[in-house]
Amino acid sequence: MSILVTGGAGYIGSHTCVELLKEGYDIIVLDNLSNSKPASLDRIKEITGRDFSFYQVDLLDRDGVRTIFRENEIEAVIHFAGLKAVGESVSIPLHYYHNNITGTLVLCDVMEEFGVYNMVFSSSATVYGTQEQVPLTENLPLQATNPYGRTKLMIEEILRDLYISNSKWSIALLRYFNPIGAHSSGLIGEDPNGIPNNLVPYITQVAVGKLPELKVFGNDYSTKDGTGVRDYIHVVDLSIGHLKALDKVLTETGVHAYNLGTGCGYSVMEMIKAFEEVTGKEIRYQVTNRRPGDIGISYADPAKAKEELNWVAGKGLLEMCKDSWRWQSLNPNGYEEESRLGLEIGVR
């Protein structure tokens, strides 16, 4: 029996594939490669010394998804696939609703057809929207403030309805905070298309000289220095959280939501200073307007994941920054072939 990983060539998906293979799972990767590179799959094999099947299929392609289930014995699905940029979702909301929600509907429909009822779903802390209190707990009212977040919230509700309709379903809703870092080998990491939407790859691309300066979106939030505060979690810690959630869905039914974060919040300016310490370089930046849909402060209360999944984030901020910088300095052009040459840039 295998674990199907949708979006497994992407940033979080590729790191989770590594952890699954290390733990002895057989995996199948589904990815349409719209925001990921096939080279990441080769790097996963290089790190783990293990092979696996890959299907370049879009979740909107029902026949393609059915083929995967027909050709393989699948025990559970870890569902990462989906569009994920907050700002872009505000500009093209219908595209986000169609891709993320319809793709999930197709996946769930095919899972039921083939009698597969175990899922770990990649949700997001954006489902909390703007809250009066922090840290954020799983029992807060949900109120996403942008189309991307609303797709995650709607999918959570769809999955709850699915369990009500059929109690065979076992689903973990993992609400991520802000994943950063990379595998310690420097072989896999975050490789966004075009200008990064997330802070850390933006910082590292400035540090490596690929981009001239960082844009800081707003310095007028009600925070310690006016810039947005987020809970940054190492992508490997996040990946291990998926394995812990997988253990749970394979042994009991129901729908359960979990925050995956460290419980600590850092501002944009604090992140810039941390990367300057790690890289020994000045991170040039320019303050600009807030992005539509962004919020000021967001960090987790991860107590439920500790209690029910036996999961705790173990890596600190400087380790996250060092691993992000190792990936970027060894792969200045991401997964492009020539990037394997690397650069002589130290990690402090």
Side-chain angles (χ1 to χ4, degrees), residues 185-187 325-332 334 339-343:
S185 65
L187 287 172
W325 180 233
R326 183 182 297 107
W327 154 256
Q328 187 70 76
S329 59
L330 291 174
N331 302 271
S339 72
R340 292 303 299 273
L341 298 174
L343 295 179

Side-chain angles (χ1 to χ4, degrees), residues 49-82:
R50 294 192 59 196
D51 200 4
F52 53 88
S53 297
F54 167 62
Y55 292 80
Q56 186 172 348
V57 170
D58 194 299
L59 283 179
L60 297 174
D61 175 8
R62 181 183 295 271
D63 289 340
V65 177
R66 291 185 77 252
T67 295
I68 296 172
F69 279 81
R70 188 169 54 248
E71 294 181 352
N72 301 276
E73 292 188 26
I74 295 171
E75 184 177 18
V77 177
I78 301 182
H79 179 28
F80 294 105

Side-chain angles (χ1 to χ4, degrees), residues 34-35 58 60 79-105 121 124 126 146-155 158 193 195 197-198 291:
S34 65
N35 193 33
D58 194 299
L60 297 174
H79 179 28
F80 294 105
L83 300 171
K84 62 178 185 177
V86 169
E88 183 182 62
S89 79
V90 175
S91 301
I92 49 172
L94 292 182
H95 185 50
Y96 268 68
Y97 288 125
H98 178 60
N99 184 85
N100 292 5
I101 296 174
T102 307
T104 301
L105 292 175
F121 172 58
S124 168
T126 56
N146 56 72
Y148 162 70
R150 280 190 278 273
T151 67
K152 294 296 188 182
L153 179 52
M154 289 177 186
I155 292 169
I158 289 167
N193 292 330
I195 302 296
N197 291 297
N198 296 327
R291 292 183 300 188

